[in-house]
Amino acid sequence: MLPISLIILGGILLVSGIVLLVKSKSIRNESLTQAIAAVKADGVLTPKEEKLIREIAISEGKDAELAIRQIKSELEESEEDSETELIDVNQKAGLDFEKFVVQKFDKKFFKIRNWAGDKFVDGRYADTTTQPDIQLSLILRGQSYPLAVECKWRSESKGDYIRFANEGQLERYKAFAAKENQPVFIVLGIGGKASDPAALYILPVQELTKPYISKDRIGKYKKKIDADFFFDQETNRLR
């Protein structure tokens, strides 16, 4: 039996494998406009966030019910993917796939530098929410080679195209790659379970111009499910 351990990764508390969120106690430092913008960017409205939105609205003398209805309406009408996965013990597909991806990086050669977490940290919007999910470094012969990975899992693919992000997300990943001078890859899992996808693809962000890809084109990026990831530091390719 594994000993009980506490590990905090990007705002996620792991207690012997049980996932708990380290949420903020309050976002009262935010204005109602800022808080609403944060929820919209995330793409989901959790019960705790709804409660906090109400508190802020009341403190500012505004109609809390109107604000909540407006947020829910806009989220329902949006066809874009959520900025982050809503993670809890019942809805943890996003984290399950991230854990699947992390295990593909041999810990003898790769060091995890950052693992992004939930969007609220001490009442503030976390900058890492808009960054790729996992930032790593390949350690080889005393040298460090950084790279970043965004994890996306889709339960199924419909039509002739597969959407892996929205316009804003793709542009942010490109901007991150340019600013940090490191390659960014979207690891896309399709079908099966988040913890065990049926198909796996590695998409280099610099080669993508749209937040979706045709099924005819995606084949070139396919990765064997049972093989570990290999990063070629000379060509900046993840395979």
Side-chain angles (χ1 to χ4, degrees), residues 38 45 86 90 94 128 147 167 188 210:
L45 176 64
L86 174 60
N90 296 315
T128 55
L147 65 149
E167 296 285 355
L188 175 64
K210 299 291 183 181

Side-chain angles (χ1 to χ4, degrees), residues 37-144:
V39 171
K40 289 180 180 178
D42 187 55
V44 289
L45 176 64
T46 68
K48 183 170 183 178
E49 291 164 0
E50 181 174 336
K51 179 176 181 292
L52 294 173
I53 291 289
R54 292 180 190 278
E55 291 177 359
I56 295 173
I58 292 172
S59 70
E60 294 184 4
K62 297 178 181 177
D63 189 331
E65 296 303 322
L66 178 61
I68 294 298
R69 287 199 302 271
Q70 185 175 0
I71 293 172
K72 290 182 176 180
S73 176
E74 292 188 19
L75 291 180
E76 288 176 359
E77 292 174 359
S78 174
E79 296 180 353
E80 296 182 341
D81 295 335
S82 297
E83 179 67 19
T84 59
E85 297 289 346
L86 174 60
I87 304 172
D88 61 25
V89 293
N90 296 315
Q91 297 172 300
K92 57 185 178 63
L95 181 59
D96 280 350
F97 186 61
E98 288 179 23
K99 290 164 63 178
F100 170 84
V101 170
V102 165
Q103 292 171 359
K104 293 292 183 182
F105 289 95
D106 192 328
K107 61 183 179 181
K108 291 184 295 184
F109 302 103
F110 292 93
K111 176 183 178 181
I112 297 176
R113 292 181 289 111
N114 185 61
W115 194 340
D118 196 39
K119 70 174 185 177
F120 284 113
V121 178
D122 292 333
R124 307 298 296 183
Y125 188 81
D127 290 339
T128 55
T129 302
T130 60
Q131 297 176 3
D133 292 320
I134 307 165
Q135 297 175 43
L136 311 99
S137 289
L138 167 66
I139 309 300
L140 191 63
R141 293 187 289 274
Q143 297 294 317
S144 179

